[in-house]
């Protein structure tokens, strides 16, 4: 288990400004000793994805969602299997800011440049937090099943799923929504948005768990209403 440090916005801002002022820090990343193993695992995962899609040659712009999904899956796997990461940890912005700026700023930089929003400045837009929660909310019990139900989505799907809740996630409900959404050929990308809007309206007076048939039937009802 890692001892995650307290990492305030003030500290994050100071360290981020050092990255901005000296880009060499993105090449020679100085990682606290306790987190060197974690960084090595993330770098190996990144390198394998880059090699798989030849991203060094073709550029990451062609593979934005692919990289978000596959690195998100690796992020989820590494933190949960090797470091006993919990949902409480995943809700701690200090951890995501610290990982983004002090452990793998080079990986974040390759995806989003030096935009403070994706490192620390806006909680719901911190990239590592976004892709971790996207995988967590789409988790279907295994790496393969989760990849299969998420692979046809887009970066817009990530934003729609991760950024929408104002009062936390009903994890089992979102997992079922993403599972059933995979059955639709939604080239317009409108079906998911409509389902999420409808759910927001209905859930104020209906508990999915108590719907006739439970969460599965509740979600089926949502899709039937909008398709």
């Amino acid at each position: 288990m890692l001892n995650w440090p307290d990492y305030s916005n003030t500290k994050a801002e100071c360290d981020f400004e050092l990255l901005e002022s000296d880009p060499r820090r993105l090449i020679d990343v100085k990682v606290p000793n306790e987190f060197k193993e974690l960084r090595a695992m993330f770098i190996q995962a990144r390198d394998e994805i880059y090699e798989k899609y030849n991203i060094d040659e073709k550029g990451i712009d062609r593979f934005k969602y692919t990289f978000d999904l596959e690195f998100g899956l690796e992020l989820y796997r590494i933190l949960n299997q090797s470091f006993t990461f919990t949902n409480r940890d995943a809700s701690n912005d200090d951890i995501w800011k610290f990982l983004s700026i002090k452990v793998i700023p080079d990986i974040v930089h390759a995806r989003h440049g030096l935009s403070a929003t994706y490192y620390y400045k806006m909680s719901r837009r911190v990239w590592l937090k976004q892709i971790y929660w996207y995988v967590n909310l789409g988790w279907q019990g295994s790496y393969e099943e989760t990849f299969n139900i998420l692979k046809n989505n887009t970066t817009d799907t990530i934003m729609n799923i991760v950024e929408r809740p104002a009062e936390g996630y009903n994890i089992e409900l979102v997992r079922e929504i993403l599972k059933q959404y995979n059955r639709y050929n939604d080239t317009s990308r409108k079906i998911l948005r409509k389902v999420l809007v409808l759910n927001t309206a209905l859930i104020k007076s209906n508990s999915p768990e108590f719907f006739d048939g439970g969460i599965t039937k509740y979600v089926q009802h949502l899709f039937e209403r909008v398709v």
Side-chain angles (χ1 to χ4, degrees), residues 2-222:
L2 295 167
N3 294 309
W4 298 105
D6 293 331
Y7 199 64
S8 67
N9 265 16
T10 300
K11 177 62 175 169
E13 183 176 15
C14 289
D15 288 341
F16 184 76
E17 287 175 354
L18 291 175
L19 292 178
E20 288 183 304
S21 65
D22 186 2
R24 290 174 298 180
R25 293 173 182 267
L26 292 166
I27 300 172
D28 183 19
V29 181
K30 304 295 185 184
V31 183
N33 286 335
E34 184 179 359
F35 296 91
K36 286 183 176 179
E37 179 185 3
L38 179 61
R39 173 175 166 79
M41 295 172 79
F42 286 147
I43 293 298
Q44 181 180 348
R46 186 274 313 271
D47 289 348
E48 289 174 356
I49 298 168
Y50 267 52
E51 182 177 354
K52 180 179 178 181
Y53 296 100
N54 197 15
I55 291 176
D56 278 327
E57 181 177 324
K58 296 181 178 178
I60 201 167
D61 283 350
R62 291 177 56 183
F63 301 96
K64 287 180 180 178
Y65 178 72
T66 299
F67 187 72
D68 286 355
L69 174 57
E70 297 210 21
F71 190 72
L73 282 162
E74 289 300 320
L75 180 69
Y76 186 86
R77 179 185 63 79
I78 290 167
L79 288 173
N80 282 278
Q81 290 185 4
S82 302
F83 296 96
T84 320
F85 206 64
T86 66
N87 280 339
R88 183 175 181 180
D89 292 328
S91 300
N92 183 348
D93 280 357
D94 282 9
I95 291 175
W96 298 117
K97 291 181 292 187
F98 179 78
L99 286 174
S100 300
I101 297 172
K102 299 296 290 183
V103 180
I104 48 172
D106 45 344
I107 295 180
V108 182
H109 178 263
R111 180 64 179 83
H112 285 293
L114 277 172
S115 174
T117 297
Y118 298 103
Y119 291 78
Y120 76 94
K121 205 163 191 177
M122 188 182 297
S123 174
R124 63 192 178 92
R125 288 287 175 89
V126 171
W127 177 64
L128 293 177
K129 178 183 178 183
Q130 266 199 341
I131 60 175
Y132 178 93
W133 273 103
Y134 179 58
V135 170
N136 191 13
L137 292 167
W139 189 251
Q140 301 296 313
S142 71
Y143 185 107
E144 292 76 16
E145 285 298 314
T146 305
F147 175 78
N148 284 335
I149 69 122
L150 298 178
K151 65 183 179 181
N152 295 320
N153 296 336
T154 69
T155 53
D156 284 344
T157 314
I158 298 177
M159 289 189 291
N160 283 328
I161 291 294
V162 177
E163 295 186 12
R164 182 171 295 273
E167 299 178 0
Y169 302 108
N170 181 330
I171 293 178
E172 295 307 313
L173 173 60
V174 181
R175 286 174 177 171
E176 186 62 28
I177 288 173
L178 285 168
K179 180 180 179 180
Q180 294 195 32
Y181 177 59
N182 182 55
R183 301 169 185 168
Y184 294 87
N185 181 24
D186 183 22
T187 55
S188 69
R189 303 297 171 189
K190 293 180 180 180
I191 293 175
L192 181 62
R193 287 195 292 271
K194 289 179 179 179
V195 163
L196 294 173
V197 169
L198 178 60
N199 175 62
T200 299
L202 293 181
I203 208 166
K204 294 175 183 178
S205 56
N206 296 274
S207 175
E209 292 80 2
F210 296 114
F211 192 85
D212 186 16
I215 288 177
T216 300
K217 288 295 185 180
Y218 172 80
V219 172
Q220 184 178 330
H221 170 72
L222 294 178

